[in-house]
Amino acid sequence: MSLFEDDPGLIRRQEGQVRERAERAHAMRRRIESIHGVGVSPSRGVTVTVDSAGTLLALAIDDAPAELCDAIVAAYAAARRDVGEQVITASQDAFGDSFPGIERLRSLYGVPSPDVQLAEASDPRVHQRRL
């Protein structure tokens, strides 16, 4: 008799525990992704908002036009994607294109997958949004 034949309920209980843990992990990830932090300068003239990974989402500077603040946030996002693409390339050069950490790096740096990039490149609405 194998281990599995000795207690068929054991496997069902273990499967249930794995499913429950996966559901809790998924819920925790959704919760963490929805968390935003807000920081205000000592003078109260600058406010920044970041996501749970510390990525700059919004910037407000007293007496500065909203367009300037938006431009700074956009430049930051572009720089972050640029460095992410370089990190991904270095990782692929070292470990190959199928390195499992690549998708995590894409998520961390906000770099879309090549499939998404191709779809966006063929969608004229994407170009309109970027202007």
Side-chain angles (χ1 to χ4, degrees):
M1 250 184 212
S2 76
L3 171 69
F4 301 116
E5 293 172 355
D6 291 342
D7 187 358
L10 173 66
I11 292 177
R12 284 191 296 278
R13 286 189 303 276
Q14 289 176 334
E15 287 174 341
Q17 291 169 346
V18 168
R19 274 192 301 277
E20 179 186 338
R21 185 164 282 170
E23 288 168 5
R24 282 188 287 157
H26 186 68
M28 180 192 75
R29 181 178 180 177
R30 282 193 318 268
R31 181 176 177 192
I32 288 172
E33 288 174 347
S34 71
I35 295 172
H36 294 157
V38 177
V40 180
S41 68
S43 70
R44 318 282 300 155
V46 177
T47 303
V48 296
T49 303
V50 298
D51 68 10
S52 61
T55 301
L56 181 64
L57 298 176
L59 171 68
I61 303 172
D62 282 355
D63 300 324
E67 294 81 16
L68 174 61
C69 295
D70 292 345
I72 292 169
V73 172
Y76 169 83
R80 192 163 180 270
R81 278 189 306 275
D82 180 50
V83 76
E85 288 170 356
Q86 292 178 59
V87 168
I88 289 168
T89 297
S91 299
Q92 288 172 322
D93 290 348
F95 301 109
D97 290 343
S98 61
F99 175 58
I102 296 298
E103 288 311 309
R104 174 68 182 123
L105 291 171
R106 287 187 188 289
S107 173
L108 180 67
Y109 289 104
V111 177
S113 69
D115 296 340
V116 171
Q117 289 173 344
L118 288 174
E120 286 181 351
S122 65
D123 186 345
R125 295 172 296 174
V126 171
H127 298 291
Q128 291 172 350
R129 285 192 305 261
R130 288 186 181 159
L131 295 177

